[in-house]
Amino acid sequence: MNTRDAWPTPAITAWLEQILAERFGHAFTLQVAGNGFVRLGMADSSQAIEIASAPELFTRSDSSLPCTSWEASREGWQSALGKPLPAPGAARLPSPLIEPTATGFRMHYDILGLTYWMLARQEEVGRQDLDHHQRFPATSSHAFRHDYLERPVIDEWLQVLGQVIQQLWPALPIRQHHFSMKVSHDVDRPSRYGFCSAARIIRFMAGDVLKRRYFKNAWLAPWVRLGSRDTLHPADPDNTFDWLMDLSEQHGLSSAFYFICGRTDPQRDADYEPEHPAIRELMRRIHARGHEIGLHPSFDTYQKPAAIVAEAQRLRRICAEEGIEQAAWGGRMHYLRWENPTTPRAWEQAGMAYDSTLSYADRPGFRCGTCFEYPAFDPVKGQALKLRIRPLIAMEGTVMEPTYMGLGSGEAALNKFNELKDRCKAVKGCFTLLWHNSLFDTQAERELYRQLLQ
């Protein structure tokens, strides 16, 4: 599909109308105005907001767009973060950016095009500048290059659009959103020693003694291995599941645990099988406490829809055998491997309700420019999908580990997590946090996680 031929296409128009309806709580119509603008109106009103349209920019699959900023307060509008708004795609902007007309307002920046470009991840289609795991990295993105990756830029611009809507239709009640938080845990390793081979146990024990100086863990290893036949051993250092659920329940949250149900890469996938009695018991316990079970497709599935479908079916079958029922199923790709649009189409084929993969492994922030869940869109076929994208804002390893930001588990890491959390609060969105159950080796890591839930 060449979206430049007719922008926005009927499919894109309907998708954008759905996004606006979810954000503002009302049905708006979008029509091409014929003068380089798109008309945002309401069925029972002759008034409208004309929004500039720049399809030549926002149908591009590269990161070389220009970028400037706009000082909302100089024109009497409010910025959610109290800072100038990044304006991707624009080298300069006219003043005033927003001006009244005889029938409403005119906005000289393509908010709708930016929304499409960011949410549909048009930027990532067909990219070859990938990292060693074949992932599109943050450092290649337009947002990182222009220093707005840690800002919910779509939410900021839609908040401005909401102000214009309220000025034009003052009697129209705008939907009020509230800050929320979602925590999830990729179950790469449910047990430190319970499922691995004898050779791997020896390697783990050696690492605990020589590298990590965890002498107690090494001493426990044989007992944990022998005591994990029907349930996870309570002394297993990776068995943090009840502690995680306890914390979530204390703060009115529900944890989501995503299980690996395949083995497409022996070195990077899990060493457990989801049918194991101890894993079945864990799933029953998670479900009984009201928390969520989801899918964590194995390493080499991100380009293989049939494999994702098979692993989703395997998870559902096991849960059905254990009497576990959920209204919806979702999850996240292993190693955050994700290819647009192959991976989201695979999730749709698997009948999954949402995908929470979209954060970068090398930097935290707003890969999609938003902290609100939204309907997925395939920019290649030009079709909306029956799948929701639940953006991931931060993964613990991205912030803490030396491979990436390297902020450790102290005050620097806490400040970075809280900065991102506060930006979600500013736009009344959702702060989604990934923390693996197996990454609580120190008291400092536990305390950092505890503070983030407050």
Side-chain angles (χ1 to χ4, degrees):
M1 179 195 71
N2 187 346
T3 52
R4 293 175 180 82
D5 293 341
W7 174 268
T9 65
I12 294 174
T13 297
W15 178 69
L16 288 170
E17 287 175 344
Q18 181 182 352
I19 289 168
L20 294 176
E22 290 183 6
R23 188 62 59 96
F24 299 121
H26 293 278
F28 295 97
T29 59
L30 297 175
Q31 296 176 328
V32 177
N35 56 352
F37 287 81
V38 172
R39 185 180 186 275
L40 185 155
M42 296 186 67
D44 56 351
S45 174
S46 61
Q47 296 176 301
I49 302 168
E50 292 185 344
I51 302 173
S53 178
E56 70 280 0
L57 292 171
F58 294 122
T59 56
R60 287 168 51 175
S61 297
D62 64 73
S63 303
S64 300
L65 278 66
C67 190
T68 186
S69 63
W70 176 62
E71 182 65 72
S73 60
R74 289 182 181 176
E75 298 186 22
W77 306 97
Q78 295 181 347
S79 166
L81 300 186
K83 300 178 179 181
L85 274 71
R92 56 184 178 273
L93 293 171
S95 182
L97 185 71
I98 303 171
E99 58 181 349
T101 65
T103 58
F105 285 92
R106 178 170 291 165
M107 304 182 71
H108 295 280
Y109 178 62
D110 190 358
I111 296 176
L112 300 175
L114 176 66
T115 300
Y116 165 80
W117 193 69
M118 293 291 293
L119 269 57
R121 301 312 301 139
Q122 174 73 48
E123 177 183 14
E124 299 185 31
V125 175
R127 294 294 287 264
Q128 300 299 314
D129 46 342
L130 309 177
D131 70 8
H132 65 291
H133 288 309
Q134 298 301 296
R135 301 172 298 197
F136 180 63
T139 50
S140 292
S141 71
H142 188 273
F144 179 82
R145 294 177 181 179
H146 293 276
D147 198 29
Y148 64 90
L149 177 58
E150 294 187 8
R151 294 183 60 168
V153 62
I154 297 300
D155 303 330
E156 294 182 66
W157 277 108
L158 289 182
Q159 193 241 32
V160 172
L161 179 59
Q163 295 172 49
V164 180
I165 289 171
Q166 287 186 304
Q167 283 219 12
L168 185 57
W169 295 291
L172 186 70
I174 297 295
R175 173 176 290 164
Q176 296 300 307
H177 297 275
H178 303 280
F179 170 74
S180 62
M181 184 172 177
K182 290 186 182 296
V183 292
S184 55
H185 318 281
D186 295 349
V187 187
D188 298 348
R189 196 178 68 198
S191 170
R192 181 76 59 91
Y193 313 110
F195 306 107
C196 52
S197 65
R200 197 169 182 182
I201 287 179
I202 293 172
R203 288 199 300 272
F204 268 128
M205 291 172 66
D208 283 340
V209 171
L210 301 175
K211 182 179 178 181
R212 293 177 288 273
R213 315 300 289 177
Y214 299 154
F215 300 103
K216 181 181 177 182
N217 287 354
W219 180 82
L220 285 171
W223 309 109
V224 169
R225 182 69 175 86
L226 292 171
S228 300
R229 290 187 176 91
D230 298 312
T231 186
L232 296 179
H233 196 288
D236 191 317
D238 290 348
N239 181 12
T240 59
F241 298 98
D242 284 315
W243 180 78
L244 287 167
M245 289 188 283
D246 288 344
L247 276 180
S248 286
E249 290 163 12
Q250 290 171 19
H251 294 281
L253 300 173
S254 174
S255 279
F257 297 91
Y258 303 144
F259 288 86
I260 293 179
C261 294
R263 196 168 296 175
T264 52
D265 187 308
Q267 298 301 315
R268 296 181 178 92
D269 285 326
D271 59 8
Y272 68 91
E273 301 295 341
E275 291 88 356
H276 191 283
I279 300 300
R280 287 176 178 267
E281 190 278 333
L282 173 60
M283 289 183 181
R284 290 196 303 269
R285 184 154 31 101
I286 290 169
H287 180 68
R289 293 185 61 166
H291 298 270
E292 181 186 348
I293 293 167
L295 181 67
H296 196 40
S298 57
F299 181 81
D300 203 27
T301 61
Y302 75 112
Q303 294 175 319
K304 300 174 181 177
I308 292 179
V309 170
E311 293 183 13
Q313 291 173 342
R314 185 180 183 188
L315 176 65
R316 287 199 188 95
R317 174 182 56 77
I318 295 166
C319 287
E321 291 170 356
E322 299 302 324
I324 296 171
E325 296 181 357
Q326 292 183 166
W329 299 85
R332 176 181 300 115
M333 296 302 296
H334 195 27
Y335 276 70
L336 303 185
R337 298 183 98 199
W338 192 89
E339 181 182 85
N340 197 18
T342 310
T343 311
R345 278 205 168 271
W347 281 83
E348 180 184 62
Q349 292 174 29
M352 307 302 276
Y354 73 86
D355 173 13
S356 189
T357 302
L358 282 178
S359 185
Y360 293 113
D362 52 332
R363 293 292 190 281
F366 302 86
R367 180 171 176 173
C368 305
T370 183
C371 51
F372 285 80
E373 187 176 301
Y374 64 91
F377 192 89
D378 178 345
V380 174
K381 292 188 176 181
Q383 297 174 346
L385 302 180
K386 297 176 182 178
L387 175 75
R388 307 280 295 179
I389 298 296
R390 182 176 294 176
L392 173 63
I393 308 305
M395 176 174 71
E396 88 284 69
T398 302
V399 173
M400 297 164 59
E401 292 182 5
T403 309
Y404 299 123
M405 293 191 76
L407 298 185
S409 55
E411 186 175 357
L414 178 62
N415 290 341
K416 177 55 64 179
F417 282 121
N418 278 335
E419 182 181 22
L420 295 165
K421 185 177 179 180
D422 287 343
R423 290 184 174 180
C424 295
K425 286 181 179 179
V427 295
K428 299 180 181 179
C430 181
F431 177 59
T432 52
L433 174 67
L434 159 60
W435 204 298
H436 294 75
N437 65 283
S438 52
L439 290 181
F440 290 103
D441 287 329
T442 68
Q443 188 59 40
E445 290 167 346
R446 288 185 175 234
E447 184 56 30
L448 174 58
Y449 182 77
R450 196 193 315 270
Q451 291 184 64
L452 286 176
L453 266 57
Q454 294 178 356

